[in-house]
Amino acid sequence: MDAGEFIALGAALLAAVVAIAVPVWTFKRTLELERIKWVRDQRAQLYIDILAEAYAEKQWFLDLMTRREITLIEERDGEERRGPSQADFPPGPDLRLGPVERSKLGARGALFASAEVSKAFNAFSGVLGRCSLIQPQSEAEAHIANVQADELFDALSTAIRNELGAGAKLNLAQPTADDAKS
């Protein structure tokens, strides 16, 4: 065998390795990107569900606190200064998830949610749960609970927006006159 045959054989072996290695590498990389996309899609859907549940819990909580404040006002003022009564504020519909759906949301959250979003949602749910079990004893306490619920809901939505990049300003190039001609 002369040098030309060795070069041809080496080139053929190199071409065979490239012909096998490149598709394998491309397949593995595509599989990894698809897995990342799937997890991101699951996380985005989870965050929508978390925000919907948090909003429903917040509305339920505000209804509860409004009714509690009215009760406190009625107890304090009695009949002489009649203000709004419970009859003026019928309870709104309870949009919160049932126990099974809530458990499924929690399980999905344990799998896909980031630590920051989990912490924000747990803080929000914890404050609402504590205030619904140990009801405020004064109008001031009820008002503070409402403000705290609003702040924690905002913190949750901000954490989700930051993680998904929904609040980020897109840096899209503006079309120029030259682009319009092409």
Side-chain angles (χ1 to χ4, degrees):
M1 284 180 87
D2 63 346
E5 291 177 346
F6 277 122
I7 293 174
L9 183 61
L13 286 174
L14 181 62
V17 168
V18 168
I20 293 171
V22 168
V24 168
W25 178 83
T26 303
F27 177 75
K28 285 183 178 182
R29 181 68 181 145
T30 302
L31 202 59
E32 179 184 346
L33 291 174
E34 282 297 315
R35 184 190 62 78
I36 291 169
K37 182 184 178 299
W38 182 82
V39 168
R40 186 158 176 82
D41 290 345
Q42 296 297 315
R43 184 174 276 182
Q45 185 60 48
L46 168 69
Y47 288 169
I48 290 168
D49 294 344
I50 284 176
L51 278 177
E53 177 63 7
Y55 182 77
E57 287 180 7
K58 180 180 165 189
Q59 293 307 310
W60 172 84
F61 178 73
L62 292 176
D63 184 60
L64 177 74
M65 288 296 106
T66 300
R67 298 175 74 64
R68 179 66 183 150
E69 283 183 73
I70 291 170
T71 302
L72 292 170
I73 291 169
E74 287 174 346
E75 289 172 359
R76 183 193 69 201
D77 295 344
E79 291 296 321
E80 67 273 0
R81 289 183 54 204
R82 192 72 173 144
S85 70
Q86 295 284 350
D88 296 331
F89 295 96
D94 188 359
L95 302 174
R96 296 175 299 159
L97 294 175
V100 173
E101 292 85 10
R102 182 76 159 107
S103 296
K104 288 179 181 178
L105 180 66
R108 287 177 41 226
L111 286 174
F112 295 112
S114 69
E116 182 181 355
V117 171
S118 291
K119 182 179 174 184
F121 185 65
N122 290 337
F124 174 77
S125 296
V127 166
L128 269 57
R130 184 178 63 243
C131 288
S132 63
L133 291 175
I134 304 170
Q135 297 209 351
Q137 300 302 312
S138 69
E139 293 173 57
E141 285 181 17
H143 180 71
I144 289 171
N146 284 339
V147 169
Q148 194 173 20
D150 283 339
E151 288 174 350
L152 289 170
F153 182 81
D154 291 344
L156 172 64
S157 59
T158 300
I160 289 173
R161 192 176 301 112
N162 288 343
E163 183 158 333
L164 294 179
K169 182 179 178 184
L170 296 176
N171 190 10
L172 301 175
Q174 295 296 322
T176 62
D178 293 335
D179 294 335
K181 292 177 184 176
S182 0

